[in-house]
Amino acid sequence: MSTRARLIEAAFTLFDEQGFEETTVDDVVQRAGVGRTTFFRHFRAKEDAVLPDHAGLLSQVEERLAQSDHLATRVVEAARVVLDHYLAEGERARLRHRLAGSVPAIRSRETAGHRAYQRAFLAAIRAELGTDPDAELEAELIANAVVTAHNVVLRRWLRGVTETPTTEFDRALARATEPLRATTATSVRTPQTSAPDGEVAPEVTAEAARRSVALLEELLPTLRRLADDQAQ
Amino acid sequence: MSTRARLIEAAFTLFDEQGFEETTVDDVVQRAGVGRTTFFRHFRAKEDAVLPDHAGLLSQVEERLAQSDHLATRVVEAARVVLDHYLAEGERARLRHRLAGSVPAIRSRETAGHRAYQRAFLAAIRAELGTDPDAELEAELIANAVVTAHNVVLRRWLRGVTETPTTEFDRALARATEPLRATTATSVRTPQTSAPDGEVAPEVTAEAARRSVALLEELLPTLRRLADDQAQ
DNA sequence: TGAGTTACGGTACTCAGTACCACTCAGTAA
DNA sequence: TTACTGAGTGGTACTGAGTACCGTAACTCA
């Protein structure tokens, strides 16, 4: 067992048994049987010993995103790389999740990692959607939806709510990448002929219209009074 | 000028001039002319001196979300509370944004705050959509889209890219809350007007309706604020 | 006047993280 | 053998964030 592995093992055990704040780096290195300097040579900070290798994972994600198949496929499979990593960790991932629930330092590092993935997704999506403000917003929303969908499923597995995370992942990411498939389908495949649009658009549009009209109706009495006041 | 205000002023100035890491708490308290203990009585950590009052802002957000008008309205206006806070800070918000770009501690605290808002939105949306897995995912996606849309607009203003953040905000949040309006329309409202008897092609009508609805949604917040102002 | 409250200042401490230097132990070449 | 090299390791000393505790001034309310 390598020095690094012993440090990780000791950190997980002690953080779990006696808490993160209550455990000093000295405790960890003593349990691992190594010097204090060695700890900080392997990990930049105390919490790094129980964090996944986000840097390595990120480069795998970027690698998958850089391939040349359809954008939606690339995004889904790149997110799948991250999920698979957590699943492969097994109990250790679950323990980290419990720790993150009570230790801000661990939680914030974990979310920083997710932000890095999100930015990688964003870059890939933006490259396809363009950079005008509306497309920019759309890309941000989709990139964020992908990470969120991933996280929702991952969290369910971490908490032991589901035993079929990969199945749920496919469903969740299909939902998250829906607008991506729609926009790239219309803008790339068929220029404005609206063959696929014609099937689903009317009901959706009708629902949205009803709702907006309803909202407007809420405002109408006030607006009418406002108009009357202005007329005087 | 209160002690707290002097500390904040000193922290912003020194962090900006000589960098966050290069500035010690002793530097800050010396510039503010107070004791070191006083700093940590006002702020739990060094970076807190330049962070907005997320706790106070969060309770304002929750207050707005707890009202009884339409969900989409509550969510949009609650997010607007946060945007308005940053806009009111002016140059100070921009300085913080620059600092967050280079200081992980500040950035992670800022995202932690946004996560808190996101959870408040999530609770409100989930209460309306239900808690089965699909609805849960939907709620998470929408809550995240709201925060993302807010952040996209905010960031554009922080970087000086736009001078009309509130207009962009209305547009961005109309987009982010689109699925929210659609889903609640089916469950809450029923159509009140029958279809017109004209002989226009259905797709053309649908497309025209879609544009009108989108424009109407953008205008709704403005009309609502206008009505509120007059009501006072 | 005295008791409680609030805000501030000082001292001493723990511990994370850094800088620097020394050691060990491989492998390699002379 | 000896000498050299480089990676991994360990020890020591330091800086600085954050905490605990105690003392003090001012202000308020009996």
Side-chain angles (χ1 to χ4, degrees), chain A residues 23-25 36-37 40 44-46:
Chain A
T23 305
T24 69
V25 173
R36 202 176 110 91
T37 312
F40 288 106
R44 310 192 64 171
K46 182 180 164 186

Side-chain angles (χ1 to χ4, degrees), chain A residues 112-164:
Chain A
H114 294 171
R115 272 178 58 94
Y117 303 139
Q118 188 261 336
R119 279 174 49 182
F121 291 137
L122 177 61
I125 296 169
R126 186 162 39 190
E128 204 133 326
L129 294 193
T131 53
D132 68 285
D134 275 355
E136 186 82 24
L137 173 63
E138 195 65 24
E140 291 262 10
L141 289 174
I142 298 172
N144 233 283
V146 167
V147 174
T148 300
H150 165 275
N151 287 346
V152 167
V153 176
L154 173 59
R155 219 179 307 137
R156 281 172 57 83
W157 175 78
L158 288 170
R159 290 176 181 162
V161 180
T162 178
E163 291 301 317
T164 56

